[in-house]
Amino acid sequence: MGDHKGYIRKTLKLAKKGSGLVSPNPMVGAVIVKNNRTISSGWHKAFGLPHAEIEALKKAGDKARGATLYVNMEPCCHYGKTPPCTKAIIEAGIKKVVCSVEDPNPLMAGKGIEEIEKNGITVIKGIMEKEGEEINRAYTTYITKKRPYIVLKWAQTLDGKIATGTGNSKWITGEDARMFVKNLRFEMDGVIVGVNTVIKDNPSLDYISPSFQTEKRLLERKRYWKIILDPFLKIPEEGKIWESSNKIMVVVSEKVKDENVRNFREKQGCEVIKIPFENNRFSLKALMDELYQREIGIVMVEGGCYTLTSFWEERFVDEIMVFISNKILGGDNSLAPISGKEKRHISEAVGIEYYETKKIGDDFFIRGRICFQG
């Protein structure tokens, strides 16, 4: 029977190499084994490039005949940006496929496995299923909810403040934590902030590529948007945000004159989109639809308080990343990360399922999923 878990574990490790580059596609790794020996492996390296199975089959060549293919997600059977993997698997003479999870995409949903089995290939599925689902939770959200996977990120003092009453927030956390954020941004397809954050902090919102990801041809394929919520087009025409080549999207209300939008777009070379803006708030549903249409699969919302609260109250949040400093600020008017409607009972609080905690310099980092009720 072989070490199915061990080989699937290898596919998951390979799959993670595609983090930040394959979205909105899933992260997938593949290992081809024959006579208890690994003869080739591969992973999906970037959006639009060959899938993991194709990479592994190409390396294996004729040795793939009669071998077992391990893959953390069901092979695709439809034409997208690349041909279907099932066809290549059948033609290569693979005799067995072992996978972790079925693809949640309705175009797939077991059809890839069905096609493989119809061609006489044995399929074993559900190996390390929980881990297989976990690694591609962002992809599942994108496919099933037709919107990006949304991460709310903030830095706060030990007493839960993200800024003084005057809006000053530099710097709550230390340099190590701030560098860590830039590395986290590489996992994202985009970062969202409100225009007041741009005006007050003059951020670059850029990412740092991970040290293991050094292939220039892959890094050049990185898809990344800086998304500014700016209802009345107040964003400065100069600043750190404009200094890199990353795409910039400025989201304005439909009340802004078309002429102003056109002039700004032409001058700054960015995209300006209009979405509904009522009761001093953007329609986040309309924004999510726009991002989905642009194949933006995972975004980080970096605040401030008003922007974070908007996403929180409309439940457009799947995960939080919180940095907690070793400072206590105090102050009746100091800002908390999430404000909004007052709650009367602790039972109304939203639970967080932690899955990563660590110390970074003098600060603590918490990453967890949101457990909304109802």
Side-chain angles (χ1 to χ4, degrees):
M1 184 174 179
D3 181 14
H4 290 336
K5 281 191 175 181
Y7 288 123
I8 288 294
R9 195 172 287 114
K10 287 182 180 179
T11 70
L12 292 167
K13 187 175 181 180
L14 287 166
K16 288 177 182 177
K17 291 185 175 185
S19 176
L21 291 171
V22 303
S23 178
N25 285 349
M27 292 181 279
V28 181
V31 176
I32 296 177
V33 177
K34 194 172 186 179
N35 300 324
N36 294 320
R37 289 180 59 249
T38 298
I39 60 174
S40 72
S41 62
W43 69 94
H44 186 27
K45 293 183 176 179
F47 184 66
L49 291 183
H51 290 182
E53 301 93 318
I54 304 302
E55 288 275 346
L57 288 169
K58 186 177 179 181
K59 291 178 186 176
D62 292 339
K63 294 179 182 178
R65 192 159 298 279
T68 298
L69 168 68
Y70 289 87
V71 62
N72 60 290
M73 183 173 283
E74 169 188 12
C76 68
C77 62
H78 69 282
Y79 282 89
K81 287 185 167 54
T82 58
C85 292
T86 50
K87 185 172 183 290
I89 291 167
I90 294 163
E91 291 176 351
I94 290 289
K95 73 171 184 179
K96 184 187 293 183
V97 172
V98 181
C99 73
S100 183
V101 295
E102 289 187 2
D103 192 329
N105 190 333
L107 292 172
M108 294 289 301
K111 294 175 185 174
I113 290 173
E114 184 180 333
E115 183 177 334
I116 290 170
E117 288 180 324
K118 280 183 179 178
N119 282 271
I121 298 172
T122 300
V123 175
I124 299 173
K125 61 182 181 179
I127 307 298
M128 297 187 70
E129 188 171 19
K130 183 178 179 182
E131 292 85 348
E133 290 173 347
E134 175 67 21
I135 192 175
N136 281 310
R137 60 190 182 278
Y139 167 71
T140 299
T141 295
Y142 177 80
I143 288 295
T144 60
K145 296 186 177 181
K146 297 188 183 302
R147 65 161 174 81
Y149 184 87
I150 303 165
V151 179
L152 300 193
K153 169 261 165 186
W154 67 83
Q156 67 178 52
T157 59
L158 201 55
D159 57 334
K161 309 299 184 181
I162 64 170
T164 66
T166 61
N168 181 262
S169 60
K170 285 191 173 181
W171 292 102
I172 287 176
T173 53
E175 179 65 23
D176 290 345
R178 297 199 296 275
M179 292 299 290
F180 187 72
V181 170
K182 290 184 178 182
N183 281 282
L184 284 174
R185 285 184 190 140
F186 186 83
E187 298 178 21
M188 308 295 150
D189 295 340
V191 57
I192 298 175
V193 298
V195 68
N196 289 333
T197 296
V198 176
I199 293 171
K200 290 177 182 177
D201 296 346
N202 188 26
S204 70
L205 302 180
D206 290 330
Y207 60 81
I208 294 177
S209 303
S211 57
F212 69 83
Q213 193 59 265
T214 57
E215 287 189 59
K216 185 178 180 182
R217 70 181 185 92
L218 295 180
L219 293 175
E220 287 175 347
R221 299 181 75 97
K222 170 66 182 166
R223 303 164 69 246
Y224 185 79
W225 289 82
K226 301 176 187 180
I227 303 161
I228 318 302
L229 303 182
D230 183 11
F232 307 114
L233 203 55
K234 298 191 301 181
I235 185 170
E237 295 183 1
E238 294 182 356
K240 292 180 182 177
I241 199 167
W242 304 107
E243 292 174 3
S244 73
S245 59
N246 293 311
K247 294 180 180 178
I248 296 177
M249 180 190 301
V250 180
V251 182
V252 302
S253 74
E254 66 266 80
K255 299 177 179 66
V256 177
K257 293 180 180 178
D258 289 340
E259 181 182 358
N260 292 345
V261 168
R262 184 174 60 253
N263 291 341
F264 188 84
R265 182 190 296 125
E266 290 175 354
K267 186 172 183 179
Q268 298 301 109
C270 66
E271 183 167 1
V272 182
I273 65 169
K274 288 186 174 186
I275 64 171
F277 185 80
E278 295 180 3
N279 299 321
N280 206 33
R281 181 171 289 189
F282 276 117
S283 166
L284 295 185
K285 174 63 169 64
L287 176 60
M288 293 300 102
D289 290 344
E290 289 281 351
L291 300 186
Y292 178 78
Q293 292 301 321
R294 287 165 173 77
E295 297 183 302
I296 295 173
I298 176 169
V299 295
M300 181 189 287
V301 181
E302 294 205 24
C305 172
Y306 181 81
T307 302
L308 290 168
T309 300
S310 296
F311 277 83
W312 183 270
E313 289 194 329
E314 294 198 36
R315 296 193 174 187
F316 281 121
V317 50
D318 302 291
E319 182 180 317
I320 62 165
M321 294 181 184
V322 182
F323 294 84
I324 304 173
S325 75
N326 62 346
K327 302 178 179 74
I328 291 178
L329 182 60
D332 291 340
N333 296 319
S334 297
L335 301 177
I338 307 295
S339 57
K341 298 175 182 176
E342 293 290 340
K343 303 294 190 294
R344 298 181 63 186
H345 303 285
I346 289 295
S347 60
E348 297 178 81
V350 176
I352 306 298
E353 179 191 351
Y354 293 157
Y355 64 87
E356 184 179 1
T357 59
K358 66 170 71 174
K359 192 168 185 286
I360 303 172
D362 291 327
D363 307 308
F364 283 96
F365 172 64
I366 295 172
R367 189 170 187 172
R369 274 181 291 275
I370 309 302
C371 304
F372 285 120
Q373 299 177 17

